Amino acid sequence: MVSANKEMVVYCFDTLVAHYNSHDAPPPAFDEGQHPLFVTWKKVVNGGEPRLRGCIGSLEARGLINGFKDYALNSALRDRRFPPIQAKELPTLECTVSILTDYENANDYLDWEVGTHGIIIEFTDPDYNTRRSATYLPEVAAHEGWTKLEAIDSLIRKAGYNGAITESLRKRLQLTKYQSTLFTMHYSEYVAYVKQARGEAPSILGAKLRN
């Protein structure tokens, strides 16, 4: 099984830096494969708690190289919940790559474990008769300190449902649980890696970035 690793995060940073410089990123230092994957960007200010700046990925298997390239940019620039990340924010950024594994159909909406499983819910909106779906990665519920019920109700809202959340609605959820491997790196660690591997720090438009 392929696990998330440092080289995948480096490639995501490389891809974002290359975007700001309007050139191609260096080739990745990991092997191709087909897996569901996510890229998450967070911003760390003055040593505080990292704040989400973008998170987009695919629940279906994607080629790892094109997948990380696409989602590094999409999560940084096109997550509709946030304004696009600007080049000047790079020194505050932390990147996490996730590779999703072990998909299972759950018996009911409580058949999963906080801190172990990510969850996907699918259901029919009773007010509009439309299908809705959403996911939380395995680390989300634990990080937020949620119970399983709190996570489920939050995910129902994330899916776009604005009506009353009832026990009847929860019991009609189709829930898939999964696990993941992940790797997180701060921009300063990325800079140190690039200096060691390539002999110089990354730069934007010829100007060295402070880290």
Side-chain angles (χ1 to χ4, degrees), residues 112-167:
W112 60 284
E113 296 302 324
V114 173
T116 298
H117 296 112
I119 51 175
I120 305 164
I121 59 165
E122 299 175 76
F123 63 100
T124 298
D125 188 321
D127 297 330
Y128 297 96
N129 199 33
T130 55
R131 292 291 287 174
R132 297 192 180 278
S133 63
T135 189
Y136 278 141
L137 296 173
E139 62 270 23
V140 172
H143 179 264
E144 296 292 340
W146 288 333
T147 64
K148 287 192 272 191
L149 185 62
E150 289 169 336
I152 289 293
D153 286 358
S154 176
L155 196 52
I156 290 171
R157 293 297 186 218
K158 184 183 178 186
Y161 177 67
N162 295 316
I165 298 177
T166 63
E167 185 65 12

